[in-house]
Amino acid sequence: MRVFLKSLDFVSQDEMLTPLGRLDKYAASENIFNRQMVARSLLDTLKEVSDDERDCIAVLERISRLADDSEPTVRAELMEQVPHIAVFCQENRPSIPYAFSKYLLPIVVRYLADQNNQVRKTSQAALLVLLEQELIERYDVETKVCPVLIELTAPDSNDDVKTEAVAIMCKMASMVGKDITERLILPRFCEMCCDCRMFHVRKVCAANFGDICSVVGQQATEEMLLPRFFQLCSDNVWGVRKACAECFMAVSCATSQEVRRTKLSTLFISLISDPSRWVRQAAFQSLGPFISTFANPSSSGHFFKEEESKNTEDHRSSDEDGEKIRDTEDVTTEDIRSRTEKPPSDADFSDFTIKLENTMEDHNPVPSNSQSETDYQTETFLRCTLSSESCGEIADENKQSSSFCSIAMLQESGLRSQETSLSEQELYNSFHFWRTPLPEIDIDLELQQPDQIMPDPKIQEGTKEVTVPVSSNITMATRKELEEMIENLEPHIDDPDVKAQVEVLSAALRASSLDPLEETMAGVGKRMDPQNELSIRDQLNYKLNQDDTVPLISDAVENIDSTLRYIHNDSDLSTNSSFSPEEERKSKVQDVVPQALLDQYLSMTDPSRAQTVDTEIAKHCAYSLPGVALTLGRQNWHCLKDTYETLASDMQWKVRRTLAFSIHELAVILGDQLTAGDLVPVFNGFLKDLDEVRIGVLKHLHDFLKLLHLDKRREYLYQLQEFLVTDNSRNWRFRYELAEQLILLLELYSARDVYDYLRPIALSLCADKVSSVRWISYKLVSEMIKKLHMASTSTFVVDLMNELVEKFCRCPKWSGRQTFVFICQTVIEDDCLPMDQFAVQLLPHLLHLASDRVPNVRVLLAKTLRQTLLEKEYFLNSANSHQEVVEQTIMALQMDDDNDVKYFASIHPASTKIADDAMSTASSTY
């Protein structure tokens, strides 16, 4: 009894104390838990004394004294309350000016170097929260926060504290902005990247490198950060290199396209071939996202930064200016011929190539005379020669008619003298070699109209001697020229573009060494009349003017490959549809991203990669494939087609599931033609796959089908019924998703298709065992009624409503009759039918359920009539003939024996929520 009285006395004493008195009493207690309680109650104490500015200042001063507590748990508890107290101070700023900056911020900053790990972690979290909510003034960040962090990252600082401080600096960079980051954080960050003593520090820097790059921008990234990034990527600790691979995409987004292509791509290849499996695994996971950074914003519509968007607009304007220059500086074929074709000599005639000249040269820019001549020489070398198929066709035509192949002789001895006047860098830069090539057009003279080309009899006589047999070999340039080109490109082999060019030139050099008929063909060239050759060229130019298409660089490379195939094969290749592995590899050449990166991406489907890199590498490849496809564009889809088909038939269902969830996005990228040819077969396969794969197709069924042509779209009407069958009958979410997609599909099909194919599925879903599926199905049926009502043929909607009456209103099970009431309620709420038509078709059957023997049906009917139907203006009109019948039914329900029916028939519509009441009635099943 005495103890009880003492406790009561203790409580009464606390109640008599002021808030500040209680605070002082427990803050001075020797009991740790009492001091922890004080830290937790600081915010409540501040709220109690918020009206008095002096009391608020007194509380804040006591907080400063409490921060010196020797117990770490008390300090940690105090730091957890600081963000809440800071918010309160911000809201009451007029009465407590500068409270946070003077009293709270110094505590947070001091705790960043606390000896206790828990206190440091709590203060770090508090600092980030304060910065995120913008509770710290910019001046305080520069003068109080950043200097402390820089001091904590000094070389002589504690290792753990240094690592944590670097992490805080990296995370706060995006919150404090570019200016503070560049002036105060970036120099120390660069130093930490080179910390040779602590690899943990370098690892933290590598993990946050992308965030820093995104804040400081392109210029600072390329000038200050990229050299450090190269060092981190070659660090002797594999964890540092792995962190670099994980943030590679973010770093790439902060650089220019040129740096991305020339430097970062080579660096990334080194990470992919890293000795550590974990580094390779991280690199392959980042490969797809890194490739996506090569996307051209003008074609993909995606910008990494606003400044890049501006740069793209400037680039477009410069391209338009370039087009104007090209229009004003056209160079005619006669001008080029006058500069390049001199009286031929025997030596000159020995070096010739069979080519089709085209008039696209006329639209190429010519900045200067020397430059134009050099460009012309380079173009002549890179120009696509006749493919083996076209040559074979022409050879066959020579046997049947007097068709011909034009032989264009290139005089390059005069152009070689111009090479010495240009620097090596100017002559072999990327503009010369990787510009858009001139199109190669196969001319089938047998299909030409007689009025298109009227060959001169003299020309025909001259060409009879120059027929090309099927097994003849065609050289692209002389061996001497090829060797000179390769030799001059050797110093720049580090450039991926130059490396790819050297490979093409080396292939051409090997091909020219296998030309046994070169001398024979050269002899034929000697017998040709130069005048006849010019006439032939003029006629072919007239034909080539018809074609305005400009192929991509990959087309030029493929045409070179076709010529090489012709050189190495003496048989008629026009009838051979098989391709060697080398030819298949060449067919995947493109110019959007460095070819080495694409080759590595395509190799992710190799089974050996799963053993040496990652067992889920194929899943990562499938996940990033839409981004890679968007980057390459639909014109380079042939590079990814085989890889996509391999992934679509992968043994792991997770890989196929990933593709199924993204096939609609890929269809948007590829367009309707490629979708119909390449994606529809894969889509059909997914429809018959496991439920885990089918759900990906089902979730975006509308998005995919709307991209198909109407006739192709209608073919899937027969397969929609199959979605009702699942591997597990308890997988009700599958049927729920089907109902949602059918609502969207209504707009894609005609009224007859909806009635014939979608109606049976909708009615089946309305009788589902799960209430959630039935609820979404009511919405589906109501939308179907609306669509059929708007159709030109009114019989469809009448037949559907009659079927609803027969199937549900007269159903022997009470759940079916309840379903009919739910459907009518949804139709009324969504205005799917004019009320006069509803009153004729459905209302009599609805009112008939007032005498149903099951109370649940009558309860729902009372709700529908009172809360939904009577709110419509049509039934509020006293002149309405149906209004009296509805009132009589409601009065009958008010006299019902069931209390719930009486309640809902009498209650005012606004006093309850319809959906909640309906759901309570419908929750009879799971």
Side-chain angles (χ1 to χ4, degrees), residues 169-269:
M169 289 172 60
C170 297
K171 293 177 181 177
M172 65 180 286
S174 59
M175 304 176 190
V176 300
K178 179 179 179 180
D179 180 52
I180 294 180
T181 302
E182 281 190 349
R183 288 190 293 106
L184 303 177
I185 297 178
L186 185 58
R188 180 50 60 93
F189 178 80
C190 294
E191 294 178 12
M192 294 296 99
C193 291
C194 303
D195 192 312
C196 58
R197 189 170 62 89
M198 284 289 296
F199 82 90
H200 296 287
V201 174
R202 301 197 302 274
K203 186 176 179 180
V204 171
C205 291
N208 296 276
F209 211 95
D211 298 334
I212 298 294
C213 291
S214 62
V215 172
V216 300
Q218 178 178 321
Q219 182 178 356
T221 297
E222 296 180 357
E223 294 178 358
M224 300 183 63
L225 290 176
L226 272 190
R228 305 293 185 272
F229 190 65
F230 272 76
Q231 294 176 5
L232 293 174
C233 287
S234 58
D235 197 277
N236 56 358
V237 178
W238 67 265
V240 178
R241 303 196 301 273
K242 179 176 179 291
C244 291
E246 292 172 346
C247 71
F248 214 95
M249 176 187 177
V251 176
S252 178
C253 291
T255 60
S256 64
Q257 189 72 258
E258 180 183 359
V259 172
R260 197 175 297 145
R261 178 178 293 273
T262 58
K263 296 182 180 180
L264 292 184
S265 59
T266 307
L267 181 62
F268 195 85
I269 293 296

Side-chain angles (χ1 to χ4, degrees), residues 521-786:
M521 296 298 293
V524 175
K526 293 180 182 179
R527 294 193 297 270
M528 276 198 62
D529 186 0
Q531 186 63 35
N532 289 344
E533 183 227 355
L534 297 181
S535 302
I536 294 172
R537 183 181 302 169
D538 291 338
Q539 293 183 3
L540 290 180
N541 285 343
Y542 177 82
K543 168 61 179 169
L544 294 177
N545 278 326
Q546 310 281 333
D547 198 340
D548 294 329
T549 60
V550 180
L552 297 172
I553 297 176
S554 57
D555 299 331
V557 178
E558 291 175 7
N559 292 331
I560 294 176
D561 297 337
S562 64
T563 303
L564 296 180
R565 291 198 296 270
Y566 175 78
I567 293 172
H568 286 288
N569 198 342
D570 292 335
S571 61
D572 187 1
L573 293 181
S574 60
T575 60
N576 186 9
S577 60
S578 62
F579 296 95
S580 66
E582 180 68 17
E583 294 165 356
E584 186 176 353
R585 186 187 69 82
K586 289 294 186 180
S587 67
K588 293 178 172 56
V589 175
Q590 44 71 53
D591 66 317
V592 180
V593 302
Q595 188 63 35
L597 291 178
L598 182 60
D599 292 341
Q600 291 291 344
Y601 178 80
L602 299 179
S603 71
M604 292 176 72
T605 57
D606 191 342
S608 63
R609 294 289 192 191
Q611 299 176 359
T612 60
V613 180
D614 186 6
T615 55
E616 294 190 350
I617 189 172
K619 181 183 177 182
H620 297 300
C621 180
Y623 181 81
S624 57
L625 194 140
V628 176
L630 178 64
T631 301
L632 295 179
R634 66 183 64 174
Q635 68 273 13
N636 291 316
W637 168 242
H638 62 277
C639 300
L640 298 174
K641 179 181 177 182
D642 294 342
T643 300
Y644 187 79
E645 293 175 352
T646 302
L647 293 171
S649 59
D650 195 274
M651 294 294 294
Q652 302 181 66
W653 63 266
K654 292 182 179 179
V655 177
R656 303 194 302 274
R657 174 185 169 92
T658 303
L659 293 181
F661 271 93
S662 63
I663 193 171
H664 67 289
E665 297 289 354
L666 193 58
V668 175
I669 297 171
L670 298 183
D672 52 356
Q673 293 184 356
L674 290 175
T675 296
D678 298 337
L679 297 189
V680 167
V682 176
F683 184 83
N684 295 336
F686 288 158
L687 291 178
K688 304 174 184 177
D689 212 313
L690 301 176
D691 285 352
E692 289 80 3
V693 180
R694 295 170 68 202
I695 188 63
V697 173
L698 181 59
K699 274 187 173 293
H700 303 285
L701 187 63
H702 168 262
D703 297 329
F704 185 82
L705 293 184
K706 72 179 181 181
L707 300 173
L708 303 180
H709 292 296
L710 181 60
D711 54 347
K712 196 70 177 177
R713 189 187 306 154
R714 291 192 74 254
E715 295 178 4
Y716 291 95
L717 286 170
Y718 310 95
Q719 305 182 40
L720 292 177
Q721 192 82 21
E722 299 176 2
F723 283 111
L724 292 175
V725 182
T726 56
D727 299 337
N728 183 3
S729 60
R730 297 178 66 88
N731 187 9
W732 61 269
R733 290 181 178 83
F734 202 91
R735 301 189 297 276
Y736 183 92
E737 191 64 43
L738 174 61
E740 284 192 330
Q741 288 298 312
L742 290 180
I743 295 175
L744 300 175
L745 289 176
L746 292 176
E747 65 179 13
L748 300 182
Y749 293 104
S750 63
R752 174 165 291 280
D753 288 339
V754 170
Y755 183 82
D756 292 342
Y757 298 100
L758 303 188
R759 173 187 54 84
I761 302 176
L763 297 181
S764 175
L765 292 173
C766 286
D768 197 89
K769 295 180 180 180
V770 182
S771 61
S772 296
V773 178
R774 296 197 300 271
W775 264 95
I776 189 65
S777 301
Y778 304 152
K779 176 71 174 177
L780 170 60
V781 172
S782 65
E783 292 295 328
M784 195 174 293
I785 291 175
K786 179 186 292 187

Side-chain angles (χ1 to χ4, degrees), residues 195-440:
D195 192 312
C196 58
R197 189 170 62 89
M198 284 289 296
F199 82 90
H200 296 287
V201 174
R202 301 197 302 274
K203 186 176 179 180
V204 171
C205 291
N208 296 276
F209 211 95
D211 298 334
I212 298 294
C213 291
S214 62
V215 172
V216 300
Q218 178 178 321
Q219 182 178 356
T221 297
E222 296 180 357
E223 294 178 358
M224 300 183 63
L225 290 176
L226 272 190
R228 305 293 185 272
F229 190 65
F230 272 76
Q231 294 176 5
L232 293 174
C233 287
S234 58
D235 197 277
N236 56 358
V237 178
W238 67 265
V240 178
R241 303 196 301 273
K242 179 176 179 291
C244 291
E246 292 172 346
C247 71
F248 214 95
M249 176 187 177
V251 176
S252 178
C253 291
T255 60
S256 64
Q257 189 72 258
E258 180 183 359
V259 172
R260 197 175 297 145
R261 178 178 293 273
T262 58
K263 296 182 180 180
L264 292 184
S265 59
T266 307
L267 181 62
F268 195 85
I269 293 296
S270 67
L271 292 176
I272 283 184
S273 57
D274 195 272
S276 172
R277 175 172 181 168
W278 308 111
V279 178
R280 297 197 303 270
Q281 179 177 327
F284 272 109
Q285 292 181 15
S286 301
L287 177 56
F290 176 50
I291 290 178
S292 67
T293 62
F294 287 87
N296 183 7
S298 61
S299 59
S300 65
H302 291 184
F303 295 90
F304 300 123
K305 293 181 180 293
E306 294 182 1
E307 57 188 38
E308 188 167 336
S309 173
K310 297 177 181 179
N311 294 338
T312 305
E313 295 176 358
D314 297 340
H315 181 66
R316 288 179 182 173
S317 62
S318 63
D319 289 345
E320 294 174 357
D321 296 339
E323 291 293 337
K324 296 178 181 179
I325 296 175
R326 282 193 285 273
D327 293 339
T328 58
E329 296 185 4
D330 284 348
V331 182
T332 61
T333 308
E334 290 77 7
D335 296 335
I336 297 178
R337 188 181 299 120
S338 63
R339 289 199 301 267
T340 59
E341 296 185 359
K342 299 179 181 180
S345 62
D346 294 344
D348 294 329
F349 272 116
S350 63
D351 302 331
F352 76 97
T353 305
I354 299 178
K355 294 183 184 290
L356 287 180
E357 296 284 3
N358 56 52
T359 55
M360 290 301 294
E361 299 173 353
D362 300 346
H363 306 288
N364 289 336
V366 184
S368 62
N369 292 335
S370 60
Q371 181 73 21
S372 64
E373 292 171 355
T374 308
D375 288 349
Y376 179 73
Q377 178 190 5
T378 310
E379 289 170 25
T380 4
F381 169 72
L382 291 178
R383 192 172 303 138
C384 308
T385 60
L386 279 174
S387 64
S388 57
E389 292 83 355
S390 62
C391 287
E393 293 173 359
I394 295 177
D396 292 339
E397 292 170 2
N398 286 335
K399 298 178 182 179
Q400 300 173 3
S401 62
S402 59
S403 301
F404 57 90
C405 288
S406 68
I407 300 180
M409 294 170 294
L410 301 177
Q411 294 289 333
E412 302 186 41
S413 58
L415 293 177
R416 291 194 191 100
S417 61
Q418 299 291 337
E419 295 179 10
T420 57
S421 62
L422 293 176
S423 64
E424 183 177 313
Q425 180 181 2
E426 181 67 20
L427 181 58
Y428 296 106
N429 59 26
S430 59
F431 173 78
H432 290 231
F433 286 95
W434 297 111
R435 60 187 302 178
T436 303
L438 300 176
E440 180 243 346

